Amino acid sequence: MGEQRGRAQPYCNQSSDRRREWELLAVLGTCTRRVRSTNYPLCCPPLKSSTGEEKEHGGQICGSPRWRWRDCPRTGAHLDAVAADPGFDTGGGSSSSTDTGQEKEPLEDSVFEPLDPGVAVPILEYNREPNKYGDGVPKENSPFINNTDDKGNSYDGTNMALFEEEMDSNPMVSSFLSKLANYTNLSQGAQEHEEADDDEGRRRRVNPQMGTFMGVYLPCLQNILGVILFLRLTWIVGTAGILESLAIVGLCCSCTMLTAISMSAIATNGVVPAGGSYYMISRSLGPEFGGAVGLCFYLGTTFAGSMYILGTIEILLTYMVPKAAIFVADKKEDELDALLNNMRVYGTCCLALMAVVVFVGVKYVNKLALVFLACVILSILAIYAGVIKTIFDPPYFPVCMLGNRTLKNHQFDKCNKTEVIDNMTVTTQLWSLFCDGSHLNATCNEYFASNNVTELQGIPGLTSGVISENMWSTYGPLGMLVEKSNLPSLEGGDPTQDIYMPYVVNDITTFFTLLVGIYFPSVTGIMAGSNRSGDLRDAQKSIPIGTILAITTTSVIYITSVVLFGACIEGVLLRDKYGDSVKGNLVIGTLSWPSPWVIVIGSFFSCCGAGLQSLTGAPRLLQAIARDGIVPFLQVFGHGKANGEPTWALLLTAGICEIGILIASLDAVAPILSMFFLMCYLFVNLACAVQTLLRTPNWRPRFKYYHWALSFLGMSLCLAIMFISSWYYAIVAMVIAGCIYKYIEYRGAEKEWGDGIRGLSLNAARYALNRLEDAPPHTKNWRPQLLVLLNVDSDQAVKHPRLLSFTTQLKAGKGLTIVGNVLQGTYLTKEAEAKKAEQNIKAAMSAERTKGFCHVVVSSNLRDGVSHLIQSAGLGGMKHNTVLMAWPGAWKQSNDPQSWRNFIETIRETTAAHQALLVAKNVDSFPTNQDRLGEGTIDVWWVVHDGGLLMLLPFLLRQHKVWRKCKMRIFTVAQMDDNSIQMKKDLQMFLYHLRLDAEVEVVEMHDNDISAFTYEKTLMMEQRSQMLKQMHLSRTEREREAQLIHDRNTASHATINDKVDAEPEQVHMTWTKDKLLTERNRNRECNANVAVRDLFNMKPNQTNVRRMHTAVKLNEVVVNKSQGAHLVLLNMPGPPRNRGGDENYMEFLEVLLEGLNRVLLVRGGGREVITIYS
């Protein structure tokens, strides 16, 4: 029954639709790869061993995109034989051989066509690379129609044929989702995240398995709780009082809680790879902010390592092995220096040891993290247990008081001046410290003699009521004695001698803001969870929950610790930083149960572990920044050992850490790292606020409990705490971040990360454009907004880069600059050339330091393209008002008259658009940005007033260092009936009101008779123009006819008449072999010769003669006065209204500019651009 029920029908007996369905199911992974198939017999045949026994294939899915077809020999048996084999049943019968001894024809319609015997089936890779069988040509009903060898091209079935041409760039959704499902996110450089595969001998990644508790909560807890809690919190409570201590804790914890909310929003807005806070900030605020804040965070983490090492050494030398000190002070006033020197020596040795440990075995550091965390938790539990014990059995730690002053009891055991031994009164060790001898009549310190010695209970207990005394602050200067105010005290003695007495004193000046800076490092470490995002099973869920829970837990610990310390410990003992009044015991240790050593040992290992974690994390953070490539000089630190360990970054980290150790004071190092962490937290809040306010489409955090107001509050708190704790450190940190920011902006690699600052810029630009009126600006705000018409050659290289140099000199980075270019053709055919031209223009703009935008237009003809640029360049109110272009110097030699016609049409269109026009002649001789012109002049020839642009341009040019030394001269032209003296005075007064420094000169032009040269030049111009209109000649013929006209006007009149009859014989236009064309060209020749004869007899037009006369005379005056000027600015006459005289217009301009080197023709836009009013 099993065989009958489970036997599959042969493949060839199925309908074409059924076979296609089987093929699709095979590709999609429905059939199994085991020998015993169920319903679809499209599976690998069983393997044959040398003895004829069958092997199984391991049960893998043969069509699944994640598995390969391996070891499936093509035995010649096609699918019919496989499908009909009784072994392919579900009844559990023994499988039989597939080798039936029959050779059947291969299936034509199947994608599974067999190859030659013994050839293995091609491997079906993960990306669904299409297989090719037989001749490699897919059949029509194949699910891989039109397949290629390109990965990712394939699609499922013929119903997707509509999208087949897009498969190379747009993969199928099923393939895309498969890749996403197998995405793994691992932290950088951690070799322990990989393990060996014994079967294939290669590395494979392990899916992250850490949850919220182990992956986020405990690491944050370990990083937050640490050295400050054990070594400084009791001192902070004693100095600031309970109320102000609660304010400090509340302020700092609120800052970190708000930052955690912002960080949770960013961390749940997509996948956060390794790099943690640096990655979040850089991808949210851009590479400049990311690099600056990332390096600040790196410096903060590095100095945190210094602080933890200093804490370790302080615990070691002060509380564990005081006799291990190398430097021992002979005098009391030298004790601080000796302590600092010991810290430097031992700290350096400890740093070297830790660096070696990190270099050799970072995996062991990570494995020991739980041990260090256990030490922290046990220490905190010991504190709470000790607090409970004080209710009914307070520990005995007496504090010796002299008057109201606290004494160090290192050198005496009994808190008495004298004692009775064998009915004899003898002095104690305390007596010897204040007197010059041990006998009773010795000379003693006056204060010692005047006051009694009393003994206080250092730990009076939770129910003692000491909380009321510890409620208020007791700040003081350096060297202030630690006193109990309610004890009687008689003043006396020399206060300057107190420093030599065994009193407990302040080692630093204390005030509220200082304590904020010292305390803040105890709340840092909230980034520990986000830094491990690559190891989390569900980072978007674990990071917010774990981080906020950790901050809440630690905040509760800190708040309760402040209250409990103030309620259990005597105030003078709280203010005793190093526990000198209780024989050098750790103050917090005196409260713990069962022994102070629990806290001492626990805090020691806690500081060791935190230091190792800092030396492990900081180099990886630096490596992540270096590998991003945004800071060029840091790229060397992106390299390391073969397994990715950041060796060079570790060396730099150790070097910077050594700087903190040389400072040697934990109280001095703590504010430094507070600044760097606060900078980081500030920008995390800023990133969240910016993204929230911009409402970018990609801003979709899964964490919903955030608001931009909370982020701004957190940012304000960070900024306030920075300046509260240390305003000078805050300024230094901001200067460092600012320098890094500017360096990355200037030299860093360009990165586009879709950051929020770019979105903010776009938003600000949109807002400004909406506010900017489309109407022309006021005259006082007018500045040239340039549209530079640039030409490129056939290779899309810039023809006149000096035009960009001149633009830079004219603009100096201010205002709008659009560099436009027109390519002739259609965009579909010229797309590649347009992109290449745009890249070349941008490169030229960068080389010439031209700040602006590039716009390349492809148009059917150049004239329309330029017209489109003039009309549409710019956006809203930010449009150009001036067009800058180069003079077409080769217009006479060009065989295409369209070049100079386009130039004239551009002039007409700028005039119609009420835009100014600047035309630079000989632009290639203009100075570069590196040139420095010496003493010289910029000459302005003010012939007609068209808005004052001629006056404004030299002033703008002289702002640039290239033209700064040039003087400005203004020439104006007076006619015969003008009073030139009065004109000069008026012009000088006008320039005075315009606040322009310039020399003024009035040039008189007399109404001389028109010279024969002018007539001759006009006649030549008109003859040439008329001839070229009547005769459509080639370039060679133009030159020939031009030579003919030249000869005609340079010889005598009689000789010219003789040549008129002979000259046509020199014009040969028969260049074809065909007889008909020969006759036609001969007729054309006759007609042309008749036209030439008419040209020789024509008279010049009087209007053209007058215009030529003006051009000639004005050119003579300009050349005479300004031939040596660095630049000549000249009014540009307008083109004729009748387009028939366009070529004459070009001749007029050519004559006007003849003999001048650098000329800028200026044509105003029809409005005033300069004013005398403020």
Side-chain angles (χ1 to χ4, degrees), residues 264-272 540 691 698-703:
S264 299
I266 298 174
T268 58
N269 187 53
V271 178
V272 179
Q540 297 191 7
Q691 297 280 25
N698 192 52
W699 180 247
R700 303 184 299 274
R702 291 190 178 277
F703 181 77

Side-chain angles (χ1 to χ4, degrees), residues 9 12 25 66-67 71 156 231-232 256 276 503 522 616 711 759 788 832 988 1068 1079 1161:
Q9 295 297 320
C12 59
L25 290 171
R66 292 198 61 189
W67 300 99
D71 308 322
D156 298 323
L231 296 184
R232 292 293 182 268
T256 54
Y503 295 129
S522 66
T616 304
S711 299
V788 184
Q988 287 175 336
H1068 300 286
E1079 293 297 327
L1161 290 173

Side-chain angles (χ1 to χ4, degrees), residues 1068-1116:
H1068 300 286
M1069 303 182 68
T1070 56
W1071 57 73
T1072 64
K1073 298 179 181 181
D1074 187 87
K1075 184 175 182 179
L1076 179 61
L1077 293 178
T1078 303
E1079 293 297 327
R1080 185 176 298 170
N1081 289 334
R1082 188 172 297 167
N1083 293 335
R1084 283 184 58 197
E1085 181 182 346
C1086 295
N1087 295 334
N1089 290 336
V1090 171
V1092 171
R1093 292 191 189 98
D1094 293 339
L1095 287 176
F1096 292 151
N1097 297 322
M1098 68 182 295
K1099 294 182 179 180
N1101 183 284
Q1102 291 302 313
T1103 302
N1104 289 338
V1105 171
R1106 291 197 308 272
R1107 292 177 177 172
M1108 182 63 75
H1109 175 69
T1110 302
V1112 170
K1113 297 299 294 180
L1114 189 56
N1115 175 259
E1116 290 177 356

